[in-house]
C-alpha cells in the first residue's frame, strides 16, 4: 500500500475550496447576465471550476506514493482538463437558467460526473 504526502492532500483540498468559491461567484454573475456578458461569465466560470476540479484531482493523485515510477501522457492530460472545463460550462449553463427542475439538475450532475470520469 502506498503512502500519502500530507502537504499535497492539503493543497488539493485548498484548491477544491478556492475553485468552489470561485465557481459560485461566476455562477451568480452568470445568472444575472445577458447576451455576450453571459457567455463571458459562462466561459470564465467553466474555466475556473473545471480547472479547479481538475487540479484538485491531479494534485490528489500525485499525493499518493505508489512505490513505482509514474508518468503522464501530455495529450491525455490536456484532454482530461478540457473535459472538466467543458463539463463545468455545461453544468453552469444548466443551473443558471431562471428555473431548474429536477431533470435539469440531474443533467447538470451527470455532465459534471462525465467530465470528471
Amino acid at each position: 500500500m502506498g503512502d500519502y504526502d500530507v502537504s499535497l492532500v492539503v493543497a488539493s483540498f485548498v484548491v477544491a475550496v478556492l475553485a468552489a468559491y470561485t465557481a459560485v461567484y461566476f455562477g451568480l454573475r452568470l445568472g444575472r447576465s445577458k447576451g455576450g456578458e453571459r457567455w463571458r461569465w459562462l466561459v470564465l466560470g467553466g474555466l475556473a471550476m473545471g480547472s479547479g476540479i481538475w487540479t484538485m484531482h491531479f494534485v490528489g493523485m500525485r499525493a499518493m506514493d505508489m512505490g513505482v515510477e509514474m508518468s503522464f501522457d501530455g495529450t491525455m492530460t490536456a484532454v482530461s482538463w478540457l473535459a472538466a472545463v467543458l463539463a463545468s460550462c455545461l453544468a453552469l449553463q444548466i443551473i443558471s437558467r431562471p428555473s431548474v427542475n429536477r431533470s435539469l439538475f440531474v443533467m447538470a450532475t451527470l455532465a459534471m460526473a462525465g467530465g470528471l470520469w
Side-chain angles (χ1 to χ4, degrees):
M1 197 84 169
D3 293 318
Y4 287 97
D5 180 340
V6 176
S7 64
L8 288 178
V9 172
V10 170
S12 177
F13 176 78
V14 169
V15 166
V17 170
L18 291 174
Y21 278 110
T22 304
V24 167
Y25 172 77
F26 283 117
L28 291 172
R29 296 297 299 247
L30 180 61
R32 296 183 208 141
S33 303
K34 298 206 182 320
E37 183 182 12
R38 180 174 170 75
W39 281 104
R40 184 179 71 214
W41 288 115
L42 177 63
V43 169
L44 290 173
L47 281 169
M49 188 163 77
S51 296
I53 291 167
W54 181 88
T55 301
M56 176 203 64
H57 282 94
F58 197 83
V59 171
M61 288 188 306
R62 297 291 295 157
M64 184 171 185
D65 180 12
M66 297 294 290
V68 296
E69 188 173 326
M70 303 283 280
S71 65
F72 296 93
D73 178 79
T75 302
M76 287 308 297
T77 301
V79 167
S80 71
W81 170 79
L82 184 61
V85 169
L86 292 175
S88 296
C89 285
L90 180 60
L92 282 172
Q93 173 65 24
I94 291 170
I95 65 166
S96 68
R97 293 178 179 205
S99 107
V100 178
N101 59 27
R102 186 174 295 187
S103 63
L104 286 175
F105 185 78
V106 169
M107 285 175 40
T109 303
L110 292 175
M112 287 303 300
L116 299 176
W117 188 28

